[in-house]
Amino acid sequence: MKTSVQPNGVNSKESVTVVGTVRRKSLWKTTIGLDLMILPALILTIIFSYIPMAGLAIAFKNYKPGLGFSKSKWVGLEHFQYLFSIPENVQIIWNTLIIAGLKMVAGLIVPFIFALLLNEVRKMRFKKAVQTIVYMPHFLSWVILGGILSDLLARDGGLVNQVLVSLFGIKPIFFLGDGNWFRFVVVISDVWKEFGFNTIVFLASLAGINPALYEAAEVDGAGRWQQTRSITIPSLLPITIVVGTLALGNVLNAGFDQIFNLYNALVYDKGDIIDTFVYRLGIIDGKFSFSTAVGLFKSVVSFVLIVSAYRISYKLANYRIF
């Protein structure tokens, strides 16, 4: 292979190398400000997310606070074997999957439909007002909402039960004391809190649809419903697939904050999830090693699901972050 020589006596390989070096230096000067902005977040992430991961080793030890980390006895996979032998384990995993699955499905369907309806509103002031109102609950913590829901859904004196008794003659329902009703409350309240935030994703996707498609459809005599069915919904399918597949990574996160602020001992059989189970074992009962083993098991499964979800979203919707 011959190397071409330029008029100034520099061959092509050397010139490419010089150009590449200049470009890298220029890129570094351009992005150094952005890199410095990311640095504090990176440091905090390392301190609070990566360094504490060393504590996962107690999942393989019989950790005793009095003995300390180094002197506690290694027990290998004993805690993981015990995890799969206790009868509560299966029920807790099922509770987590059922609650998280219902949240995922409802949290995908409701904002999808609401975005389609809101997109048809032509008065911009009204549209923005509605979008702001439904978006606001996202900023309320579950500590506040838990107290509000406990008062509204109380069996004795709660506003919801008062309406059911006075208007429909229905006996008071123990919403937060019956397992089946508790799951219903958890799913509905989570959808109410978050669907306004999730709607933004679909509205952004709707804004990216080419208006020429609707103009061509009108010329062909298509009505609003036909345009929605033939243009809008198919255009939303890629982002819907992305949101749905990425949600698979959180299928074991049924919402600790929400359930912790709403549940009680009466609904442990239907409302206890992995996170609340770990909290009771580790913080209340002091079984640090076993609770760490449960949390590590959940994290490993979640990691596998997240990786799988990214691959699925890339295959189905050609979506990828890195």
Side-chain angles (χ1 to χ4, degrees):
M1 177 179 177
K2 295 183 178 181
T3 303
S4 60
V5 179
Q6 309 212 356
N8 57 6
V10 180
N11 63 46
S12 60
K13 288 186 177 180
E14 291 178 351
S15 63
V16 170
T17 303
V18 172
V19 171
T21 304
V22 172
R23 286 181 177 177
R24 283 195 293 270
K25 290 182 178 179
S26 177
L27 181 63
W28 168 252
K29 291 180 180 179
T30 304
T31 62
I32 186 171
L34 298 176
D35 295 336
L36 292 176
M37 291 176 63
I38 296 174
L39 187 60
L42 179 62
I43 293 174
L44 291 175
T45 301
I46 293 174
I47 293 174
F48 293 103
S49 296
Y50 285 92
I51 294 178
M53 289 179 67
L56 293 175
I58 68 175
F60 306 95
K61 287 189 169 190
N62 187 16
Y63 178 71
K64 303 291 183 182
L67 296 176
F69 180 80
S70 59
K71 295 183 180 180
S72 297
K73 182 182 178 182
W74 286 94
V75 294
L77 300 176
E78 180 179 317
H79 298 300
F80 294 94
Q81 293 172 352
Y82 178 67
L83 168 64
F84 292 103
S85 65
I86 58 176
E88 295 90 346
N89 174 58
V90 176
Q91 184 61 44
I92 290 169
I93 292 177
W94 271 114
N95 292 343
T96 306
L97 292 175
I98 291 172
I99 293 174
L102 291 174
K103 283 183 178 182
M104 184 177 65
V105 174
L108 188 64
I109 294 176
V110 173
F112 182 88
I113 296 176
F114 185 77
L116 290 177
L117 296 175
L118 194 61
N119 188 57
E120 297 299 321
V121 177
R122 292 294 174 261
K123 294 183 178 180
M124 294 304 298
R125 288 186 178 180
F126 177 75
K127 182 177 181 179
K128 292 181 179 179
V130 171
Q131 186 175 348
T132 302
I133 291 172
V134 300
Y135 182 56
M136 287 178 62
H138 171 75
F139 297 100
L140 297 177
S141 70
W142 278 113
V143 177
I144 298 173
L145 291 179
I148 295 174
L149 290 173
S150 296
D151 291 337
L152 289 176
L153 302 175
R155 183 171 59 177
D156 300 324
L159 179 61
V160 174
N161 274 314
Q162 288 182 7
V163 172
L164 292 176
V165 172
S166 60
L167 295 183
F168 303 100
I170 301 175
K171 294 181 179 180
I173 300 173
F174 200 0
F175 287 102
L176 300 180
D178 181 273
N180 294 321
W181 278 110
F182 179 79
R183 286 179 177 176
F184 176 79
V185 170
V186 166
V187 174
I188 295 299
S189 60
D190 181 76
V191 171
W192 168 76
K193 182 178 183 296
E194 299 295 342
F195 87 95
F197 178 79
N198 296 331
T199 300
I200 296 175
V201 178
F202 294 106
L203 287 176
S205 182
L206 286 170
I209 300 177
N210 189 353
L213 297 175
Y214 294 104
E215 295 174 0
E218 288 181 0
V219 171
D220 292 338
R224 294 302 303 173
W225 167 243
Q226 291 175 322
Q227 293 176 30
T228 301
R229 186 181 60 183
S230 302
I231 300 175
T232 307
I233 293 179
S235 299
L236 285 180
L237 286 181
I239 191 63
T240 304
I241 294 173
V242 170
V243 173
T245 52
L246 294 182
L248 290 175
N250 293 319
V251 74
L252 292 183
N253 295 323
F256 171 79
D257 293 343
Q258 179 190 17
I259 293 180
F260 178 75
N261 286 284
L262 292 176
Y263 86 147
N264 54 75
L266 297 175
V267 295
Y268 280 173
D269 59 330
K270 295 292 183 68
D272 198 17
I273 61 173
I274 295 176
D275 290 335
T276 54
F277 182 61
V278 170
Y279 168 80
R280 289 203 316 276
L281 287 176
I283 305 299
I284 298 178
D285 296 341
K287 298 179 180 179
F288 301 107
S289 293
F290 180 65
S291 61
T292 304
V294 177
L296 180 58
F297 163 74
K298 175 203 161 186
S299 300
V300 171
V301 174
S302 298
F303 175 76
V304 173
L305 290 175
I306 289 173
V307 173
S308 302
Y310 273 113
R311 290 189 175 276
I312 293 173
S313 62
Y314 176 67
K315 292 291 184 181
L316 297 181
N318 197 28
Y319 170 86
R320 64 189 307 170
I321 296 178
F322 46 82

